[in-house]
Amino acid sequence: MGSATGVDAMTGAAGDVAELEQYRTELTGYCYRMLGSAFEAEDAVQDTMVRAWRSFEKFEGRSSVRSWLYRIATNVCLDALNAGNRRARPMDLTAPVPVAKAQLNSRPEVTWLEPVPDGRVLPTVADPAEAAVAKETVRLAFVAALQHLPPKQRAVLILREVLAWRASEVAELLGTSVASVNSALQRARATLAESEPAATDTADPLDEEQKKLLDRYVAAFEGYDMAALTALLHEDATLSMPPYDLWLRGHDDIVGWMLGVGEVCRGSRLVPVVANGTPAFAHYHPDPEGGFSPWALMVIEIADGKVSGITSFLDVQRWFPLFDLPERLEASPEG
C-alpha cells in the first residue's frame, strides 16, 4: 500500500513539474527583458520553478498557474534588480570616439547587457504578428532602453505592452491598483520615448534582400574588402565591443578601426546564428597553430537595407557555449 502511495506521489510530482516546465521559455524571455542577462534570467526562472514546485500543493487556483508563476518570477526579478546596477551598452556610458583617438578600455565594474539565443527566450507561437512583437522586444536596443526604467515600471511595461496583459491582471500580480498600473505605464512610456530605441529588422524569416545583404557582409568581412563593407554600412552605423567601453559611429571610423587595431581580424571566418531576434555571427579568428579560434559573438542590426549596428561581444568563454557553438573551426583544405 505504501509503495502505491509513493508511486502516486512521484507521479503527482512529475505532473506538477511538467505543468510548470511548459512555461520555462516564456518566463525566461520575461526575466531576460527585466534583467538584461541571459544567465541571470535562467537563474531567476530556476529559482521561480523551485519556489513554485515547493509550494505547489498550497496553490489555491484563484489565478492560473501561468499568472502565479509570473508573480513569483516578478518578485525574484525585483529582488535581483534592487540589489544591483542596471545593465548597459557602451553607448549608454560614453560618447562615440573618433577612430584616431580610439583606445580599448575595459570596464570590468560595468554590468554589461548580454546577448541571448532566440530559442531560450522566444516560445513558438502560431501568430506571425505575436512572433514579430516577441522578436522586436528582445532586440539589444529595446532591452537596453528597458534598463532606463525603474524595476516596477519595467515590469508593468513588459506585462502590458509586450505580453498584452490587462491592467487588472497586472494590478493583481503586483498587489496594487489599476490606477497605479496605468500611471506606471504612462511614466514608463514617457521615459522610453526620450530614449526611443532605433527600429531594426528582426530575423526569421529574413526576406531575400536581407539574406543577400548578410551574404555580402560575410563575403566582405571574410575577404577583408573594406570598400565592399563600406557599401553595406549606414553612414552612421555603430560598432561596439563589450566589455570595452569604446564605440564608433560612422562607416569611415568603423573601416578605419578595422584597418588599424582591428587588422588582427583579417582572415576571420563567420558562422551564422541568431541572437536577440536579429541576425548574428560567431566570429572565429585565425589561430597561429592552425584553424580558427573563437573571437566574438557579433550581433547585427539591419535597417532600411543596410547594416546599422554591429555589437561584438568578446567574452567568448561565456557566449559560445550558450549558443552551442564549436570550440574551434578547422581550416578548409583550400585554406
Side-chain angles (χ1 to χ4, degrees):
M1 194 74 168
S3 170
T5 305
V7 170
D8 288 346
M10 287 171 61
T11 304
D16 295 348
V17 169
E19 186 166 1
L20 300 176
E21 280 295 325
Q22 65 181 309
Y23 300 106
R24 183 178 288 273
T25 303
E26 65 173 280
L27 283 169
T28 307
Y30 173 60
C31 293
Y32 174 72
R33 293 177 184 100
M34 286 289 288
L35 302 172
S37 160
F39 295 105
E40 284 185 10
E42 293 197 340
D43 287 347
V45 172
Q46 190 58 28
D47 190 1
T48 298
M49 292 294 186
V50 170
R51 291 188 195 188
W53 186 77
R54 283 180 179 159
S55 55
F56 201 83
E57 287 181 3
K58 299 174 193 167
F59 175 58
E60 296 173 355
R62 284 194 296 239
S63 63
S64 67
V65 169
R66 182 172 181 256
S67 298
W68 179 56
L69 284 170
Y70 271 91
R71 182 183 297 122
I72 299 170
T74 300
N75 289 331
V76 170
C77 288
L78 292 177
D79 287 346
L81 290 166
N82 288 334
N85 300 324
R86 71 179 176 89
R87 291 186 171 267
R89 298 190 301 166
M91 44 279 286
D92 298 321
L93 305 175
T94 62
V97 176
V99 70
K101 297 181 180 177
Q103 290 182 320
L104 289 175
N105 299 313
S106 178
R107 287 211 196 181
E109 81 284 1
V110 171
T111 313
W112 296 105
L113 185 69
E114 296 179 356
V116 71
D118 281 17
R120 302 261 181 149
V121 293
L122 296 175
T124 304
V125 293
D127 182 355
E130 194 180 328
V133 168
K135 287 178 184 300
E136 180 70 18
T137 57
V138 293
R139 288 187 306 115
L140 288 173
F142 186 85
V143 178
L146 289 175
Q147 305 299 300
H148 293 277
L149 301 175
K152 278 208 172 166
Q153 283 185 32
R154 202 180 305 178
V156 168
L157 184 107
I158 296 166
L159 290 165
R160 290 282 286 116
E161 304 270 277
V162 178
L163 301 175
W165 286 41
R166 293 193 297 273
S168 57
E169 293 173 320
V170 178
E172 186 182 342
L173 181 143
L174 293 174
T176 187
S177 67
V178 169
S180 173
V181 166
N182 288 336
S183 173
L185 180 60
Q186 210 167 3
R187 292 197 303 277
R189 282 173 175 163
T191 303
L192 275 194
E194 290 168 15
S195 56
E196 186 80 40
T200 53
D201 299 343
T202 52
D204 187 28
L206 291 170
D207 63 32
E208 282 308 310
E209 288 305 310
Q210 291 167 327
K211 288 176 186 170
K212 285 177 188 170
L213 173 69
L214 292 171
D215 287 345
R216 282 159 48 210
Y217 179 85
V218 170
F221 194 93
E222 291 187 348
Y224 232 65
D225 182 340
M226 292 299 113
L229 189 67
T230 299
L232 304 176
L233 297 175
H234 275 283
E235 276 188 39
D236 61 351
T238 61
L239 170 66
S240 60
M241 293 162 279
Y244 298 112
D245 60 9
L246 168 75
W247 66 286
L248 304 163
R249 171 177 279 153
H251 53 47
D252 290 345
D253 277 347
I254 291 173
V255 167
W257 171 266
M258 292 182 69
L259 291 174
V261 176
E263 180 75 26
V264 292
C265 292
R266 187 182 287 274
S268 292
R269 293 288 177 269
L270 301 183
V271 174
V273 292
V274 178
N276 294 82
T278 58
F281 295 100
H283 175 183
Y284 289 85
H285 197 262
D287 191 320
E289 296 179 10
F292 302 87
S293 52
W295 185 259
L297 181 79
M298 183 188 286
V299 181
I300 304 292
E301 292 164 284
I302 299 172
D304 302 323
K306 287 195 172 184
V307 173
S308 58
I310 305 166
T311 307
S312 283
F313 292 94
L314 299 175
D315 190 358
V316 292
Q317 310 303 329
R318 286 163 69 78
W319 309 132
F320 276 48
L322 182 68
F323 283 79
D324 296 322
L325 288 160
E327 291 179 14
R328 60 180 290 107
L329 298 180
E330 298 308 323
S332 55
E334 64 273 13

